[in-house]
PDB file of all heavy atoms in Angstrom:
ATOM      1  N   ILE S   2     116.944  88.411 172.406  1.00 75.00           N
ATOM      2  CA  ILE S   2     116.299  87.461 171.510  1.00 75.00           C
ATOM      3  C   ILE S   2     116.253  88.090 170.129  1.00 75.00           C
ATOM      4  O   ILE S   2     115.715  89.173 169.959  1.00 75.00           O
ATOM      5  CB  ILE S   2     114.882  87.118 171.986  1.00 75.00           C
ATOM      6  CG1 ILE S   2     114.936  86.493 173.375  1.00 75.00           C
ATOM      7  CG2 ILE S   2     114.194  86.184 170.998  1.00 75.00           C
ATOM      8  CD1 ILE S   2     113.586  86.315 174.003  1.00 75.00           C
ATOM      9  N   LEU S   3     116.841  87.399 169.155  1.00 73.00           N
ATOM     10  CA  LEU S   3     116.846  87.885 167.780  1.00 73.00           C
ATOM     11  C   LEU S   3     115.834  87.088 166.978  1.00 73.00           C
ATOM     12  O   LEU S   3     116.134  86.027 166.458  1.00 73.00           O
ATOM     13  CB  LEU S   3     118.244  87.751 167.158  1.00 73.00           C
ATOM     14  CG  LEU S   3     119.364  88.491 167.875  1.00 73.00           C
ATOM     15  CD1 LEU S   3     120.706  88.153 167.257  1.00 73.00           C
ATOM     16  CD2 LEU S   3     119.117  89.986 167.825  1.00 73.00           C
ATOM     17  N   LEU S   4     114.621  87.575 166.895  1.00 71.00           N
ATOM     18  CA  LEU S   4     113.557  86.841 166.220  1.00 71.00           C
ATOM     19  C   LEU S   4     113.631  86.954 164.712  1.00 71.00           C
ATOM     20  O   LEU S   4     112.979  86.211 164.002  1.00 71.00           O
ATOM     21  CB  LEU S   4     112.194  87.306 166.723  1.00 71.00           C
ATOM     22  CG  LEU S   4     111.946  86.993 168.195  1.00 71.00           C
ATOM     23  CD1 LEU S   4     110.664  87.624 168.663  1.00 71.00           C
ATOM     24  CD2 LEU S   4     111.928  85.503 168.436  1.00 71.00           C
ATOM     25  N   GLU S   5     114.430  87.887 164.209  1.00 73.00           N
ATOM     26  CA  GLU S   5     114.562  87.992 162.761  1.00 73.00           C
ATOM     27  C   GLU S   5     115.562  86.980 162.208  1.00 73.00           C
ATOM     28  O   GLU S   5     115.677  86.820 161.007  1.00 73.00           O
ATOM     29  CB  GLU S   5     114.953  89.417 162.343  1.00 73.00           C
ATOM     30  CG  GLU S   5     116.343  89.828 162.746  1.00 73.00           C
ATOM     31  CD  GLU S   5     116.441  90.381 164.167  1.00 73.00           C
ATOM     32  OE1 GLU S   5     115.441  90.432 164.891  1.00 73.00           O
ATOM     33  OE2 GLU S   5     117.552  90.749 164.553  1.00 73.00           O
ATOM     34  N   GLN S   6     116.278  86.291 163.092  1.00 75.00           N
ATOM     35  CA  GLN S   6     117.267  85.303 162.674  1.00 75.00           C
ATOM     36  C   GLN S   6     116.936  83.961 163.307  1.00 75.00           C
ATOM     37  O   GLN S   6     117.600  83.492 164.215  1.00 75.00           O
ATOM     38  CB  GLN S   6     118.671  85.744 163.088  1.00 75.00           C
ATOM     39  CG  GLN S   6     119.098  87.024 162.452  1.00 75.00           C
ATOM     40  CD  GLN S   6     120.470  87.462 162.917  1.00 75.00           C
ATOM     41  OE1 GLN S   6     121.121  86.785 163.700  1.00 75.00           O
ATOM     42  NE2 GLN S   6     120.920  88.592 162.436  1.00 75.00           N
ATOM     43  N   ILE S   7     115.885  83.321 162.815  1.00 79.00           N
ATOM     44  CA  ILE S   7     115.417  82.066 163.387  1.00 79.00           C
ATOM     45  C   ILE S   7     116.175  80.902 162.744  1.00 79.00           C
ATOM     46  O   ILE S   7     116.241  80.797 161.529  1.00 79.00           O
ATOM     47  CB  ILE S   7     113.904  81.893 163.156  1.00 79.00           C
ATOM     48  CG1 ILE S   7     113.151  83.040 163.814  1.00 79.00           C
ATOM     49  CG2 ILE S   7     113.426  80.536 163.690  1.00 79.00           C
ATOM     50  CD1 ILE S   7     111.686  83.081 163.469  1.00 79.00           C
ATOM     51  N   PHE S   8     116.758  80.051 163.594  1.00 80.00           N
ATOM     52  CA  PHE S   8     117.426  78.858 163.107  1.00 80.00           C
ATOM     53  C   PHE S   8     117.395  77.798 164.203  1.00 80.00           C
ATOM     54  O   PHE S   8     117.121  78.108 165.353  1.00 80.00           O
ATOM     55  CB  PHE S   8     118.870  79.145 162.660  1.00 80.00           C
ATOM     56  CG  PHE S   8     119.746  79.708 163.741  1.00 80.00           C
ATOM     57  CD1 PHE S   8     120.544  78.883 164.517  1.00 80.00           C
ATOM     58  CD2 PHE S   8     119.784  81.064 163.971  1.00 80.00           C
ATOM     59  CE1 PHE S   8     121.345  79.411 165.511  1.00 80.00           C
ATOM     60  CE2 PHE S   8     120.585  81.605 164.953  1.00 80.00           C
ATOM     61  CZ  PHE S   8     121.377  80.771 165.730  1.00 80.00           C
ATOM     62  N   THR S   9     117.629  76.568 163.828  1.00 82.00           N
ATOM     63  CA  THR S   9     117.602  75.483 164.804  1.00 82.00           C
ATOM     64  C   THR S   9     119.009  75.229 165.332  1.00 82.00           C
ATOM     65  O   THR S   9     119.990  75.438 164.631  1.00 82.00           O
ATOM     66  CB  THR S   9     117.059  74.183 164.184  1.00 82.00           C
ATOM     67  OG1 THR S   9     117.878  73.831 163.078  1.00 82.00           O
ATOM     68  CG2 THR S   9     115.623  74.354 163.715  1.00 82.00           C
ATOM     69  N   ILE S  10     119.054  74.773 166.582  1.00 80.00           N
ATOM     70  CA  ILE S  10     120.324  74.380 167.183  1.00 80.00           C
ATOM     71  C   ILE S  10     120.126  73.065 167.920  1.00 80.00           C
ATOM     72  O   ILE S  10     119.008  72.697 168.282  1.00 80.00           O
ATOM     73  CB  ILE S  10     120.881  75.447 168.143  1.00 80.00           C
ATOM     74  CG1 ILE S  10     119.936  75.689 169.308  1.00 80.00           C
ATOM     75  CG2 ILE S  10     121.191  76.742 167.413  1.00 80.00           C
ATOM     76  CD1 ILE S  10     120.531  76.559 170.386  1.00 80.00           C
ATOM     77  N   ASP S  11     121.210  72.371 168.153  1.00 82.00           N
ATOM     78  CA  ASP S  11     121.174  71.104 168.879  1.00 82.00           C
ATOM     79  C   ASP S  11     120.792  71.357 170.339  1.00 82.00           C
ATOM     80  O   ASP S  11     121.229  72.339 170.944  1.00 82.00           O
ATOM     81  CB  ASP S  11     122.546  70.434 168.793  1.00 82.00           C
ATOM     82  CG  ASP S  11     122.502  69.035 169.346  1.00 82.00           C
ATOM     83  OD1 ASP S  11     122.216  68.102 168.575  1.00 82.00           O
ATOM     84  OD2 ASP S  11     122.748  68.873 170.563  1.00 82.00           O
ATOM     85  N   LYS S  12     119.991  70.469 170.919  1.00 78.00           N
ATOM     86  CA  LYS S  12     119.555  70.621 172.308  1.00 78.00           C
ATOM     87  C   LYS S  12     120.734  70.686 173.275  1.00 78.00           C
ATOM     88  O   LYS S  12     120.652  71.342 174.303  1.00 78.00           O
ATOM     89  CB  LYS S  12     118.642  69.465 172.707  1.00 78.00           C
ATOM     90  CG  LYS S  12     117.283  69.516 172.090  1.00 78.00           C
ATOM     91  CD  LYS S  12     116.449  68.343 172.580  1.00 78.00           C
ATOM     92  CE  LYS S  12     115.137  68.274 171.842  1.00 78.00           C
ATOM     93  NZ  LYS S  12     114.356  67.120 172.276  1.00 78.00           N
ATOM     94  N   SER S  13     121.827  70.022 172.955  1.00 79.00           N
ATOM     95  CA  SER S  13     122.980  70.025 173.859  1.00 79.00           C
ATOM     96  C   SER S  13     123.594  71.418 174.015  1.00 79.00           C
ATOM     97  O   SER S  13     124.268  71.701 174.997  1.00 79.00           O
ATOM     98  CB  SER S  13     124.042  69.042 173.368  1.00 79.00           C
ATOM     99  OG  SER S  13     124.572  69.449 172.118  1.00 79.00           O
TER     100      SER S  13
END
Side-chain angles (χ1 to χ4, degrees):
I2 300 171
L3 301 174
L4 295 173
E5 68 275 2
Q6 298 178 2
I7 300 171
F8 59 94
T9 58
I10 62 171
D11 189 89
K12 288 181 187 178
S13 65

